[in-house]
Every structure is written in C-alpha cells, then in structure tokens.
DNA sequence: TCGTAAGCGAGACGGTACGTCCTGTCTTACA
DNA sequence: TGTAAGACAGGACGTACCGTCTCGCTTACGA
C-alpha cells in the first residue's frame, strides 16, 4: 500500500534520472554529507525538486541508487568472482588491498561515508543495502572461501559469514573511525591473523 | 589556535553544562539523530542556544561529551579491567556478550548511532574519540590479551591491535549495518573463530 | 537593479499578501513599534518568514505597504478632493480638525509612528512615501489652495508647497513630539495664524 | 518610585559617564540608529554593560543625555539669545538658515534622527525632551518674537507657540521626511510666508 | 488527430532549524 | 559599593532547506 499514488514508471524520464544520480554522487563528494541537500541536487541536475521526491522516498535511498547505478551501469567488470590462484592468503590479500585502495580513493570517500550513515539510521535502507549490495559481494567472497575449503585450505566447520566479517569488518571499521592507518600492511596483517588464529601454534 | 575566542571556563555554569549533556543524550534517544537539533536540546535543557554554541564547536562534540559524561561521571565502576579467570575464550565471550547486550539496549541505540555518524564525518571528532574513548578501552582489552600471551594462550607475535579489531570489529559492524542478528551466539562464534583461525587444524 | 533576484510576481499568493499586511498593521498597533518583529508578523499571518522576506526588502517597506493597502483597497472614498464651500478658512479647519482626529485615533497611533520612524531612517522609503502617499494628498491640498487663489482668497505669489507645509507641518510635529495638546483649537489657531500672517494689520 | 533601587550617584564614575555619552554619540553617527546597541556602546566606551543599565533606563534616555552633554558641556556659546537687529525677518532668516545648516551637518544627522525616533515612541522621553531641550530654545525664540511685538513688528494677539511652530515646524518636517530640498531658500520662504500670511494684501 | 493526462522545470508556499547578535540580569574579581 | 568583564536565558534576526503545492510546458497514449 504505497502512501503516495504510484507514479507511472513507464513515462519516467531517464535523462532526469541519470542526471539526478550523477548530481547526487558528485555533490556529496564536493560538499560533503552534512551539506548535501535535495534542493542542491535538483539544481545541480537541472531538475525540479518534485522529480526527486516523486521517485525516491529519502535522501538515503537516492544515495543508494546513485551507488547502485555506478556499479551496475558502469564498466560492470566489477561483479566478477574473486581471484582464485590456489593460494588463499595471496588471493585474500589482493582483494583486501583493493578494498583499501578503493576506500582511500577521495572520489568515493564522501559518498561512501554518506551512504554508510544513511544505512546506520534507516533499517529499511539497511535491508535494501544488505540484499542488493552487501549480499552479492558477500556471496562472491563466500564462494572463494568455499573453494578454499574444497582445496583443504580452510577448515570445514567454519561459518563463512563469520569468516567474511572477520576479514572485511576490521578494514571497514578502521576506515570509518580512522582508528589507525589504513594501508596494505594492515590488510595483509588482517588476512594472516585471521587465517592463522590468535592461539599459539601447537608445538 | 581556537577559532572562537576562548570563553572563560572558570565562570562556566556547571548546572547548564550538565543539563545540556543530559538533554542531548535523552533527546537523541527520543527523536533520533535526524531530528536532533541544537534548538531542541537548548529548549529541553532550559538553556539559551548561545550557551551551547559557546562551549561546543559542533553537535558531534556535544554528543561526544554527553557520552563521556555518562561513562566518567556515572557509577564509574565501568573502567575496570577485563575479567581474567585464566580461560581466555570464556573471558572474551563474556565481554563480547556484554557488548552485544549494550548495543541492543534501546537506551543506547540512538545515541550511539548518532555519535558514530558524527565520528564518521568529522576527523577531528574521530581523533578525540580515538584518544578519549576508544584508546582506554582498547588498552584494557590489550592488557587482557597480553596476560593471555604470558599464560601461553595467545601467540607471541600477534599484533594486539589487529587482534582487538578482529574480535570487536565484526560485532560493531553487524550492529551498525544490521547485516544479521546480533546475539550471544554470534559473539561466541566470533571469539571461537578468531582464536582458532580459519585454517584447518594440522593433522 | 534589484538586490535580490526578482521573484515571479505572477505566482504571488494574494491570500498571503493580504494576511501579512493586515497582521503587520494589527500587530504594530498591539505591541508597538519597538516590539514589532517580522517573526511575529509571520506567525500572526500564518505565513512563513521567507514569504515576507521574498516580497519586502525591509520592515519599513512592509509597514508602508500595509498603509497603502489600507487607503487604497479600503472604502476608497478617501481619495476625494478637499471640501470647497467657498470659505477657505472654514474648509481648512475642517480638514485640519479631521487630521487631528485621525492622529488621535489609537488605532492609527502606533502604526503611523512606526511608519514615520522608518521613513526618517530610510531615504529610499522616504522617496517612496513622498511619491505614493504624501504627493497625492499634497496635490489635493494644493488644488484647494489654487481654487482659493482663483477666488481671490489667497495671494497669487504664494508658494503652495510652503503654504501646505505651514498648515500641516505644525500639527504633525505636535503629534510626533507631544510638545503640546493636539486638538481642534490648535488646528483652528494654525489655520487662522497661517492665513493672517504674523505681521500686525496695516492700520 | 524607581523600579530598581536607586544607585548612589555620588560614587558615580564621571570618566565612565563621559566615555559612554561620547561613545553613544559617535557610534550612532557611524552605524546608524538601527544598528546602535547598548553592547556596542559599552564596548566602544570600554565600559561594562551594567554601568549603562545602572544609570540610564533606556537607549533613548542615553541618547538624550548624549545630546544634552554636547550642548551643555560644549563651547556653550550656543545657549545665547536670538539676534535682535531690529529687523525681524532678517533675524529669523538668520536663525532658520543656521538651523538648516545644522540639520544638514552629517555629524548631527544620524544622532538627531535617532533621538527624534526615540522621542516619537517614548512619551516619558518626549516630556523630558520638551522640558529640557525644546522648552529653553522655544523660550529664546518667543523672547525674540515678544521683542518684535513690542517693536510693533508682530501682531499683539498672536499665540507665540503657534508662531514658533509655524516657523520651525516646516523645516524640521522637511528634514525628517525629505519631502524636498532643505536649504536657505526654503528657510527664507518660510519666514516670508509666515510673516506675511497667505491672504492677499488688502488693496 | 486531437484532447488529455502524465511527467517535467520552476519556484512559491508554510514551516523548522540554523548560527549570530543583542537584550537585560546576574555573578565574579578588582579598586 | 561602583566598576570591567562576561556568562546566562531568552528571543529576533535573515538564510537555507524541508516537503507540498501549483503553474505552464512538453510528450505520448487512447478515443
């Protein structure tokens, strides 16, 4: 039961939609999350405010779509599987280092922080995010881990979600909270520590 | 080099300060981060807006102080060391479960999310947070881990910061992003997995 | 060259405009000039502050419009010519007595003082006032004086502006500065003295 | 019945008093009436705000005192009688032209307009003004007119207050409302017209 | 083929909050 | 006790956006 009468999506102007998504992404990068306004996005996109309110329920949803559009409508080579050279540690380091590079890219810094904030405060958006962005990437990661299990490089009884959390969570946190330098050394350390575990080796 | 001329802290009204911190904490819990306004805090605290602007540079700094006041001026038993029964896994599970309970406490939910958001967008605040809230608690955790090293329950060559990140990061992330249920089972899983590592046991 | 980008007057809400003008006039009468605030007017008119700032450059301009609206959109019989019974002195006394009555009317007291103050401090507003309120009424007065000249009741070489100033100025001043009682006796005295002049009669 | 307990005037700091009066006069000239603030005056005078509130009940009263101080403690040659050369018209023109010059002096423009405004809105201040500034000067003017009556240059049955109003009122109004150029020509015209009257000369 | 109903750019509207400035009162420390 | 200094509760300033609304205008569909 949609609160507002559903607009006729078939007549939607794709020009306006793309301009809005691009403007939203660019603007949040320029002015930051705190000063990002619907009014500003509309002006930057050369669009009436109503056109934004008609199609997106919240600023967070718009931001989220801007992200989706970027990854979906982009070069789209991105969605490929994780590398599998047979060396699990090396492969994970490769991926985690790439994540670090992306998080440190100033073009993505503000937009990602903005999106993260909206997710933290909006459960509905969080669910959307979980399903449409986190889930697919998480599956790719779990696929790689499953392959490692088949190759005898990963314990059989490990909960793969926990494993993914333990590998990628620390990097995300360090980026969000700036509790320390975020670089490839850290990425490597996390992979090594996670794989080996904290316990001393049996003699 | 303070931007605004430093007010004379010796004349500061402690009554007003405490009323503001309490009002800020209470209000963010009631109305949520998005609708939290300086104006509202001032009104709730029975205080002029200028009194807030005089002493805090930003809403985030105020929120942060409200948190600090809570932990510092409260029952203050909080700052004690982590439990050390000799059983590292059990002790860590105890602490992580407590963390989970606290994160799930509705009284702290909105305030913590709000503070987190401000930290994510304000590097200066992040530094403050790192030094005055994260650092002390992190040291306590590292102390417990060091004790475990001395007891031969933890590898000697582990980076303790990475270890802490790997134990507490996943829990924080699951809470922030709601990517899954956050309960004691998850806490236990994280501890077990982190301690054991992802690799299969040597035969 | 308008300072602010000219808003589209064709879309202007006449409802809001009238509510604002009425509220301004009423409020200044109730609370007085010193406590008259844009905020208060907006609230009383049930209007956003921006709607006032959008259409009026200053409180004085608003007050002025409130006056204009009153005289223009009112019963509009007001703009008629001065009476001409053939007896100049009697006619002038009639008009000046009416002026005195109006100035003493508590409904107009505060608003007129407020408008006067704004005019005194704002040359642009003074020009507007001169052209759109003072000028038309001054012309009516001069018309009556011209008729008197034709009827041989007024010297031919009199500067009519000076004459008008000398008839109406003293009344206005006495009202503004409260330097003495303002009643019909005073009005009559002024007319008589102005007509006769200060010099002794030739024997 | 003073609202606040009367401060002990004997201990009053004359330094502070003079600094405040001077600062008030100077400031209103610089920033204008609308932006004149007690806070600004106190700062400019190097004085605490309380010192102003202690001794003056309102901004208008302070402004008024600033004026009084100027005329009283100044070169004080000002308070002398009006010139009496035997030629009434010439003498009045001299005085009225001097008035015009003073009103056109930019140093006095803002302060006088400010004082005028306060008087218009504050009956108590108006009474003070009438008694302590207007009255003395009015008496001097009436003295000159009385002398003219004795010399047979002015009708015996003229109300001198009305005469003064008719001579000086138009000039003051023209200055306040800027309804026309204020110069010596106008001064002369007023004097001539007032003396002669508006009626045609008897044949 | 021609209404006509939708999406659209534009922007006025009633509101809320911003961060600043000032008011008039109060408190502190000094002379 | 008067003073300089300035914190305080309060309130208005003028600005920026919110989300809703109404206006003409294109633009495509169905009668």
């Amino acid at each position: 039961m949609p609160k507002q009468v559903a607009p006729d999506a078939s007549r939607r102007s794709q020009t306006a939609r793309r301009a809005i998504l691009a403007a939203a992404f660019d603007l949040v990068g320029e002015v930051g999350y705190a000063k990002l306004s619907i009014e500003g996005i509309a002006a930057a996109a050369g669009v009436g405010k109503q056109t934004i309110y008609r199609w997106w329920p919240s600023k967070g949803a718009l931001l989220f779509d801007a992200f989706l559009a970027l990854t979906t409508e982009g070069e789209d080579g991105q969605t490929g599987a994780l590398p599998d050279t047979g060396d699990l540690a090396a492969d994970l380091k490769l991926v985690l280092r790439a994540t670090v590079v992306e998080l440190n890219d100033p073009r993505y810094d503000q937009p990602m922080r903005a999106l993260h904030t909206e997710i933290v405060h909006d459960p509905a958006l969080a669910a959307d995010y979980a399903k449409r962005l986190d889930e697919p990437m998480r599956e790719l990661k779990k696929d790689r881990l499953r392959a490692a299990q088949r190759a005898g490089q990963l314990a059989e009884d490990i909960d793969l979600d926990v494993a993914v959390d333990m590998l990628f969570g620390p990097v995300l946190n360090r980026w969000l909270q700036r509790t320390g330098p975020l670089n490839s050394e850290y990425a490597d350390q996390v992979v090594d520590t996670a794989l080996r575990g904290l316990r001393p080796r049996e003699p």
Side-chain angles (χ1 to χ4, degrees), chain A:
Chain A
M1 75 198 84
K3 181 182 165 189
Q4 57 201 50
V5 276
D8 183 350
S10 72
R11 312 192 116 203
R12 180 168 190 182
S13 158
Q14 288 307 309
T15 314
R17 179 178 164 274
R18 272 190 291 268
I20 290 165
L21 294 177
F25 190 87
D26 293 350
L27 252 193
V28 76
E30 286 169 29
V31 305
Y33 169 71
K35 298 201 169 177
L36 182 68
S37 66
I38 300 279
E39 203 142 306
I41 294 170
V47 134
K49 282 199 291 177
Q50 198 59 251
T51 304
I52 297 183
Y53 285 108
R54 185 159 25 233
W55 300 108
W56 288 275
S58 71
K59 203 155 68 181
L62 170 52
L63 230 27
F64 177 61
D65 267 20
F67 252 82
L68 262 190
L70 211 75
T71 58
T72 306
E73 302 175 2
E75 339 98 67
D76 89 345
Q78 163 127 3
T79 31
L82 263 58
D84 188 348
T85 64
D87 183 343
L88 177 62
D91 291 351
L92 286 176
K93 286 177 183 173
L94 201 69
V95 172
L96 232 59
R97 282 167 174 237
T99 303
V100 164
V101 166
E102 194 183 330
L103 291 176
N104 281 329
D105 185 334
R107 283 178 302 161
Y108 293 87
D109 186 89
Q110 282 296 317
M112 283 179 118
R113 288 181 191 275
L115 179 57
H116 178 81
T117 285
E118 299 287 359
I119 285 165
V120 165
H121 288 93
D122 181 347
L125 186 60
D128 233 45
Y129 171 80
K131 183 179 291 182
R132 297 170 62 195
L133 268 183
D134 182 73
E135 191 73 18
M137 297 180 65
R138 180 175 288 264
E139 278 312 318
L140 297 179
K141 294 165 191 167
K142 283 158 81 176
D143 285 347
R144 179 65 188 84
L145 295 184
R146 265 188 284 267
Q149 283 179 322
R150 282 191 298 273
Q153 295 175 340
L154 204 69
E156 292 288 345
D157 57 348
I158 288 289
D159 183 312
L160 294 186
D161 275 308
V162 173
V164 170
D165 289 352
M166 220 146 55
L167 285 164
F168 291 83
V171 166
L172 185 62
N173 275 334
R174 190 163 271 219
W175 174 68
L176 284 174
Q177 307 188 12
R178 295 183 238 252
T179 35
L182 182 61
N183 47 35
S184 31
E185 282 76 42
Y186 184 71
D188 292 357
Q189 268 184 306
V190 168
V191 171
D192 287 334
T193 313
L195 288 181
R196 187 235 280 193
L198 304 175
R199 289 244 176 74
R201 271 161 257 236
E202 326 253 313

